[in-house]
């Protein structure tokens, strides 16, 4: 299992909703999640808040919980800006910021006016540049951890070679076992797991399909689904029941708990749980409270 210079705990919350909230409400929500006992809050970076200032906002509103980027897009800022931003947050909030880096996706990159390059070689060069970046303020006393968004074998290998671990997204416990085999011991593995607290199969799968709609248009994810044994037929109609059930855990609290436990059994150190509801923008506070009681 992995060894980070920060403590994430066994379970964290991955939340898309923070970008929809006014800043003060985002801080209040983060503080509520901290009180519930979760080890970390994860969020992405698309067209809302810039990831590092967003992390600073949530760190300022909490006292203990780790804030993690899942992920900070390497096309959004150059490597020196990323490295200096990480060091600034680590200096201000020791042991509470985890930098997750990712290459994002072609449409999200090209919308910004950039050209999407080969993922693994681009990430490797970016990490080289981060490691060369100077920092003229007070240097953090401890090593600064970083993990990579990784699905395929080559990016997972890079995560083992040049980072502290990996943050796979939209994956199964089977993928977690494969990822652990590639990462080896001593590297942190933090898979995301989408969940729906709904026992009606039709309702639960409808929520799952709405969630997966975007990702079924992105080759990074569909290629990984193919590696996991799914076929192109599983992508039709918003996703087959087999695909939905594998990627989105649904049912009562026991079913959710069992899926999280399956990731841990497969080698995960920390599971980032993303609660899905019919309204993707609403805060699932009731579900978060139920999740906290279970884990």
């Amino acid at each position: 299992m992995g060894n980070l210079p920060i403590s994430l705990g066994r379970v964290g919350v991955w939340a898309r909703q923070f970008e929809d909230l006014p800043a003060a409400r985002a801080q209040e929500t983060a503080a509520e999640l901290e009180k519930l006992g979760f080890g970390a809050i994860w969020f992405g970076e698309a067209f809302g808040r810039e990831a590092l200032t967003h992390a600073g906002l949530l760190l300022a509103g909490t006292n203990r919980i780790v804030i993690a980027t899942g992920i900070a897009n390497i096309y959004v800022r150059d490597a020196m800006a990323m490295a200096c931003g990480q060091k600034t947050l680590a200096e201000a909030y020791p042991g509470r910021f985890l930098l997750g880096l990712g290459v994002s996706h072609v449409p999200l990159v090209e919308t910004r006016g950039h050209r999407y390059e080969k993922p693994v070689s681009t990430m490797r060069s970016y990490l080289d540049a981060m490691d060369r970046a100077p920092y003229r303020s007070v240097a953090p006393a401890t090593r600064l951890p970083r993990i990579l968004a990784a699905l395929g074998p080559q990016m997972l290998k890079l995560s083992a070679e040049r980072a502290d671990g990996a943050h796979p997204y939209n994956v199964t416990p089977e993928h977690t076992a494969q990822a652990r085999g590639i990462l080896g011991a001593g590297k942190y593995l933090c898979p995301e797991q989408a969940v729906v607290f709904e026992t009606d199969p039709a309702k639960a799968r409808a929520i799952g399909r709405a969630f997966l709609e975007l990702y079924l248009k992105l080759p990074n994810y569909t290629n990984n689904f193919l590696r996991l044994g799914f076929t192109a037929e599983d992508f039709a109609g918003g996703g087959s029941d087999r695909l939905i059930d594998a990627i989105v855990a649904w049912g009562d609290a026991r079913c959710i708990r069992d899926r999280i436990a399956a990731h841990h059994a497969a080698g995960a150190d920390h599971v980032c749980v993303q609660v899905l509801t019919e309204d993707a923008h609403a805060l699932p506070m009731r579900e978060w409270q139920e999740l906290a009681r279970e884990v």
Side-chain angles (χ1 to χ4, degrees), residues 118-131:
K118 293 182 178 180
V120 176
S121 59
T122 299
M123 179 61 81
R124 187 183 298 276
S125 297
Y126 193 91
L127 296 175
D128 289 341
M130 280 189 69
D131 290 345

Side-chain angles (χ1 to χ4, degrees), residues 161-291:
E161 295 167 5
R162 299 295 306 281
D164 293 276
H167 172 47
Y169 188 93
N170 273 343
V171 293
T172 63
E174 291 75 18
H175 182 276
T176 295
Q178 295 171 16
R180 174 53 69 195
I182 295 171
L183 288 173
K187 296 295 179 177
Y188 227 71
L189 180 54
C190 310
E192 175 268 353
Q193 175 62 62
V195 305
V196 179
F197 283 86
E198 174 58 66
T199 57
D200 180 275
K203 291 181 180 180
R205 288 169 178 152
I207 294 170
R209 287 191 175 92
F211 167 71
L212 278 182
E213 180 180 7
L214 168 65
Y215 302 109
L216 290 178
K217 299 174 183 176
L218 300 174
N220 311 49
Y221 291 109
T222 55
N223 288 340
N224 194 55
F225 295 152
L226 293 173
R227 284 192 294 267
L228 288 171
F230 296 98
T231 69
E233 293 179 354
D234 288 302
F235 307 153
S240 66
D241 287 353
R242 183 171 80 108
L243 178 63
I244 298 299
D245 294 351
I247 301 301
V248 180
W250 57 266
D252 60 17
R254 180 184 58 80
C255 294
I256 304 301
R257 183 181 65 243
D258 288 349
R259 180 69 66 89
I260 295 169
H263 280 287
H264 284 305
D269 297 280
H270 174 88
V271 181
C272 322
V273 181
Q274 182 169 189
V275 174
L276 309 178
T277 60
E278 286 186 295
D279 183 351
H281 301 286
L283 288 176
M285 190 55 65
R286 178 184 62 80
E287 290 85 353
W288 284 337
Q289 291 169 347
E290 188 169 359
L291 178 64

Side-chain angles (χ1 to χ4, degrees), residues 79-132:
M80 184 179 293
M82 187 79 82
C84 290
Q86 179 190 26
K87 291 170 183 175
T88 300
L89 290 172
E91 182 183 341
Y93 303 97
R96 292 190 55 216
F97 176 62
L98 176 59
L99 179 65
L101 298 167
V103 296
S104 190
H105 307 278
V106 173
L108 297 181
V109 169
E110 292 184 347
T111 298
R112 296 178 180 275
H114 301 294
R115 179 180 176 182
Y116 193 83
E117 304 288 352
K118 293 182 178 180
V120 176
S121 59
T122 299
M123 179 61 81
R124 187 183 298 276
S125 297
Y126 193 91
L127 296 175
D128 289 341
M130 280 189 69
D131 290 345
R132 294 193 300 266

